[in-house]
Amino acid sequence: MSEVFEDLFADAMERDFAAGETLFRAGDKVVSMMLLRDGRADLVRHTGHGLRLILHRAEAGQILAEASAWSEVYHCDAVASAACVAAVLPRQFFRARLKADPDLAERWMQTLARSVQAARVRADIRSLPKVADRLDAWLCDGHALPDKGRWQDVASELGVSREALYRELARRQIKARS
């Protein structure tokens, strides 16, 4: 997707973010749009029960928090899950450029449609009652289990506690050895 929107962000200022750094917080006023040029950032929401949910994991070439182009405030936090570089464009420039270029606006609508589809898959996975079923569905959706140090990210994507995911992974290890 990077090539599709690179012209849109060609004159944007760049900002570097260290892993763990916050790009914006829920409730912050939306003043700019961001295209990740390198690295990875997560859109995160915290539940009333203290559970950390990853709503979306954006990678290089993706626009972060697409829906914020039409919102006054952010509805979630964005945190660099790895060091990243973001092109930052004032929101009014972003919207004016879409309005001025129907082909670009069409590509933007396609991107938003794919985003909605991906969000629905994540919602379907999180609606499954068992951790095992959520993990199976997530793996079947083309994901691979990361290194052990990042399993908590998978738990956040699945909407389960780290401990519940670790128990499920241990159960699978035991079953594989039998």
Side-chain angles (χ1 to χ4, degrees):
M1 181 189 321
S2 185
E3 304 80 37
V4 173
F5 297 114
E6 196 57 47
D7 286 345
L8 180 59
F9 285 84
D11 58 349
M13 139 182 122
E14 280 194 357
R15 284 201 51 204
D16 295 329
F17 295 92
E21 189 173 352
T22 300
L23 286 73
F24 55 79
R25 293 195 184 284
D28 286 352
K29 184 176 170 128
V30 178
V31 294
S32 59
M33 298 296 294
M34 295 183 184
L35 170 70
L36 288 185
R37 288 204 166 124
D38 191 34
R40 190 177 62 240
D42 294 337
L43 296 181
V44 178
R45 184 166 293 148
H46 300 275
T47 69
H49 302 323
L51 194 60
R52 178 181 184 267
L53 293 176
I54 295 177
L55 303 176
H56 176 69
R57 173 158 286 150
E59 298 183 349
Q62 292 183 309
I63 295 175
L64 192 58
E66 318 85 276
S68 62
W70 286 269
S71 180
E72 291 305 311
V73 297
Y74 292 108
H75 294 99
C76 58
D77 299 340
V79 179
S81 50
C84 62
V85 178
V88 181
L89 184 69
R91 183 174 71 158
Q92 69 268 23
F93 291 178
F94 179 86
R95 289 175 60 169
R97 289 175 183 175
L98 286 177
K99 194 178 274 191
D101 186 340
D103 291 334
L104 180 61
E106 176 78 19
R107 291 192 302 272
W108 178 246
M109 287 185 284
Q110 291 170 355
T111 299
L112 292 176
R114 285 190 296 275
S115 211
V116 168
Q117 291 166 340
R120 287 179 178 157
V121 168
R122 285 190 303 278
D124 285 345
I125 289 171
R126 287 185 183 146
S127 72
L128 297 170
K130 296 181 183 175
V131 175
D133 295 339
R134 290 183 189 196
L135 182 57
D136 287 341
W138 184 79
L139 292 168
C140 287
D141 192 42
H143 299 281
L145 202 57
D147 294 332
K148 191 173 185 177
R150 293 196 32 234
W151 287 356
Q152 71 274 3
D153 293 340
V154 175
S156 293
E157 285 190 50
L158 297 178
V160 300
S161 69
R162 292 183 310 198
E163 296 79 10
L165 177 63
Y166 297 164
R167 282 192 299 272
E168 176 57 26
L169 292 172
R171 187 188 65 74
R172 289 176 186 223
Q173 268 186 334
I174 291 168
K175 188 175 176 182
R177 282 184 267 178
S178 336

